[in-house]
């Protein structure tokens, strides 16, 4: 058959009402208060202020939002996942470099017909050899792409002819099409094939990329700016904006100042305590960007530095459950995130939970938590403030990254809420690299973690199964592994929802981490900017369709495709 196209702490004085008012008021501007364009909406400049600089623009080595926001505009995939983020079959996927595709009768191969008009930004035509080469790069050990594990069910990619690439699979699975299209941006073999794969990550291509996207790379001034321009001869049509510029500012405060001073048009990392100021700014508006993210306290289930000895505290599921029952999670969300967060319901964001109503949550019940600790042998001696068990104190450390006000505030509040239970908590705030080093060496008790997930929940195999590469806390459950495997192999949508409920319930029952929150991410942008609905898998997904209202253009919108003054 052929298928064709188709973060942050909030000061209490801000208050939920102001935050909600800001979002609601500015959403109404989005819906109808902005004047409609009287002429062509092609043209204009958008400046994005960004507090983090990409490390590379070489797609297989990218790992940060700051990198993907640029990469997604410069490179293309064979097809783009639909807005509902379904990964079962190919329903809803939109053609990109492939104009159509055909499954084999046994569903173990998919043939992608490439757009004969697609070309690289240096003028060379796109060919099936590029697709074959891309798969080889993403799966090469010497490249070390973080996406290799997600491509394990693809046996090989072959070239039927210059415009047909064929993906061959090891097993028939519901997410085969997702595997073939979601993780890989197609690379130019004519520019890269002569470079040893072990050197690709350090090649100048990573700072001067050549892609097939509706934007082409213009320049990267280290520490200052990255600029892309509309590709006026693109097979899918030129981008509506002339230019997009990322202004790199390594300080949240300075980035916010640039936004309010009119030197930037978009800021993804706006902090909740700035929302009332955005609401009062005549030139700005807010949108709530959905996010595939959740935050939790990750427990180390093994003793520090060990991968086999149980942790003296967290090795007992009764202790983990008692801690969860003693934390008033709705109160913490209100205290830290105000109206810009929700209590996490499972080890995935709501957008990726097929049936939230079927999940049985641990109740907030401090008395029951005390009783559970008593029954597990953790007792509180007269005059002592911390429980003990066989000479071990119920005391542990929570690490949080200094870059996240949300997580540093959560650390302090968890310390406060668990103290009456007889739990001693010390808080250590670390710079990201230092915290990451301790986590990877298993030298920690617990740390406040935030996971960004991909559609299909496929990353859960890496984060929670016994053999998962990103299973940082050492959670191991044969029952969970079996249930997750069943979820990944169920084709029927209704049955899939039921099986996934069992997967999430197993994690809730085992409590490998203390679920805390889902962020509601506000982004601030200039009122003259028009955009499609923001997508949960990246606000930048449809950046080539963003535009500037011709009736509200300012000086920088009139530069065209030339260099800014």
């Amino acid at each position: 058959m052929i298928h064709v196209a188709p973060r942050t702490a909030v000061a209490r004085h801000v208050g939920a009402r102001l935050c909600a008012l800001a979002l609601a008021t500015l959403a109404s501007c989005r819906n109808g208060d902005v004047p409609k364009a009287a002429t062509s909406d092609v043209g204009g400049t958008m400046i994005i202020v960004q507090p983090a600089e990409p490390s590379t623009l070489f797609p297989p080595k990218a790992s940060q939002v700051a990198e993907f926001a640029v990469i997604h505009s410069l490179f293309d995939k064979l097809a783009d996942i639909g807005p509902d983020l379904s990964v079962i079959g190919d329903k809803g996927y939109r053609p990109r470099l492939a104009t159509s595709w055909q499954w084999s009768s046994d569903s173990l191969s998919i043939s992608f017909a490439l757009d004969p008009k697609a070309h690289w930004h240096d003028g060379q035509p796109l060919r099936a050899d590029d697709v074959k080469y891309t798969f080889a790069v993403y799966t090469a050990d010497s490249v070390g792409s973080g996406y290799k594990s997600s491509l394990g069910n693809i046996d090989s990619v072959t070239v039927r002819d210059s415009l047909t690439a064929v993906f061959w699979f090891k097993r028939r699975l519901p997410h085969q099409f997702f595997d073939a299209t979601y993780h890989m941006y197609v690379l130019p073999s004519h520019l890269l094939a002569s470079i040893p794969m072990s050197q690709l990550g350090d090649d100048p291509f990573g700072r001067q990329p050549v892609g097939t996207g509706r934007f082409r790379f213009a320049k990267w001034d280290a520490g200052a700016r990255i600029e892309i321009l509309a590709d006026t001869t693109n097979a899918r049509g030129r981008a509506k904006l002339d230019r997009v510029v990322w202004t790199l500012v390594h300080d949240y405060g300075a980035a916010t100042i640039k936004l309010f001073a009119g030197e930037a048009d978009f800021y993804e990392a706006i902090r909740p305590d700035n929302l009332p100021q955005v609401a009062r700014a005549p030139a700005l508006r807010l949108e709530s960007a959905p996010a595939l993210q959740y935050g939790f306290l990750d427990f180390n289930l093994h003793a520090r530095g060990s991968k086999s000895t149980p942790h003296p505290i967290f090795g007992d599921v009764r202790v983990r459950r008692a801690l969860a029952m003693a934390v008033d999670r709705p109160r913490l969300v209100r205290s830290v995130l105000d109206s810009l967060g929700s209590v996490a319901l499972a080890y995935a964001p709501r957008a990726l939970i097929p049936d939230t109503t079927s999940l049985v949550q641990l109740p907030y019940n401090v008395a029951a938590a005390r009783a559970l600790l008593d029954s597990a042998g953790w007792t509180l001696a007269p005059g002592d403030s911390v429980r003990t068990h066989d000479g071990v104190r119920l005391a542990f450390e929570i690490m949080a990254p200094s870059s996240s006000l949300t997580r540093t505030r959560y650390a302090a509040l968890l310390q406060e809420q668990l103290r009456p239970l007889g739990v001693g908590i010390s808080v250590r705030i670390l710079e990201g690299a230092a915290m990451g080093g301790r986590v990877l060496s298993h030298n920690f008790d617990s740390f406040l973690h935030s996971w960004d997930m991909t559609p299909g929940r496929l990353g859960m195999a890496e984060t929670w199964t016994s053999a998962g590469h990103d299973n940082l806390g050492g959670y191991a459950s044969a029952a969970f592994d079996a249930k997750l495997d069943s979820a990944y192999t169920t084709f029927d949508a209704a049955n899939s929802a039921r099986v996934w409920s069992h997967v999430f319930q197993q994690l809730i029952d085992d409590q490998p981490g203390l679920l805390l929150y889902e962020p509601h991410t506000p982004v601030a942008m200039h009122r003259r900017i028009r955009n499609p609905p923001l997508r949960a898998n990246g606000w930048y997904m449809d950046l080539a369709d963003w535009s500037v209202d011709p009736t509200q253009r300012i000086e920088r919108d009139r530069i065209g495709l030339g260099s800014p003054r």
Side-chain angles (χ1 to χ4, degrees), residues 329-331 333 341-346 350 515-518:
R329 296 186 297 150
R331 179 184 170 192
V333 169
S342 302
V343 173
L345 299 180
R350 283 168 172 75
L515 289 169
L516 295 172
Y517 64 90
E518 286 183 42

Side-chain angles (χ1 to χ4, degrees), residues 291-305:
L292 300 181
Q293 184 183 94
Y294 68 100
F296 65 106
L297 181 66
D298 202 348
F299 297 135
N300 187 354
L301 304 190
H302 298 126
R304 285 186 177 224

Side-chain angles (χ1 to χ4, degrees), residues 88-131:
I88 297 179
D90 57 8
K91 181 181 178 181
Y93 280 80
R94 300 177 293 184
R96 286 298 179 255
L97 291 179
T99 56
S100 63
W101 45 86
Q102 185 166 5
W103 293 74
S104 62
S105 58
D106 61 4
S107 296
L108 287 177
S109 70
I110 307 173
S111 303
F112 289 90
L114 304 181
D115 186 344
K117 296 180 293 184
H119 58 79
W120 297 98
H121 294 148
D122 63 0
Q124 292 297 309
L126 170 76
R127 290 294 182 255
D129 283 332
D130 296 319
V131 181

Side-chain angles (χ1 to χ4, degrees), residues 15-64:
R17 195 173 72 83
L18 276 175
C19 294
L21 178 62
L23 289 170
T25 300
L26 294 168
S28 70
C29 294
R30 165 84 196 280
N31 292 335
D33 294 348
V34 179
K36 293 185 180 297
T39 58
S40 170
D41 57 359
V42 171
T45 294
M46 178 175 167
I47 297 180
I48 300 168
V49 64
Q50 184 165 282
E53 182 168 13
S55 299
T56 181
L57 296 180
F58 180 55
K61 298 293 286 184
S63 61
Q64 308 170 29

Side-chain angles (χ1 to χ4, degrees), residues 2-21:
I2 299 177
H3 302 267
V4 184
R7 282 167 214 206
T8 4
V10 178
R12 293 305 302 168
H13 71 271
V14 172
R17 195 173 72 83
L18 276 175
C19 294
L21 178 62

Side-chain angles (χ1 to χ4, degrees), residues 126 189 234 270 281 364 376 527:
L126 170 76
S189 61
N234 192 271
I270 194 73
Y364 170 54
R527 286 179 178 270

Side-chain angles (χ1 to χ4, degrees), residues 26 31 40 69 161 170 200 253 293 335 347 363 411-412 449 459 472 498 512 515 522 524 526 529:
L26 294 168
N31 292 335
S40 170
D161 55 55
K170 300 173 184 177
L200 285 174
Q293 184 183 94
S335 297
Y347 294 80
H449 199 6
L472 303 175
R498 177 181 53 80
L515 289 169
H526 197 283
I529 303 294

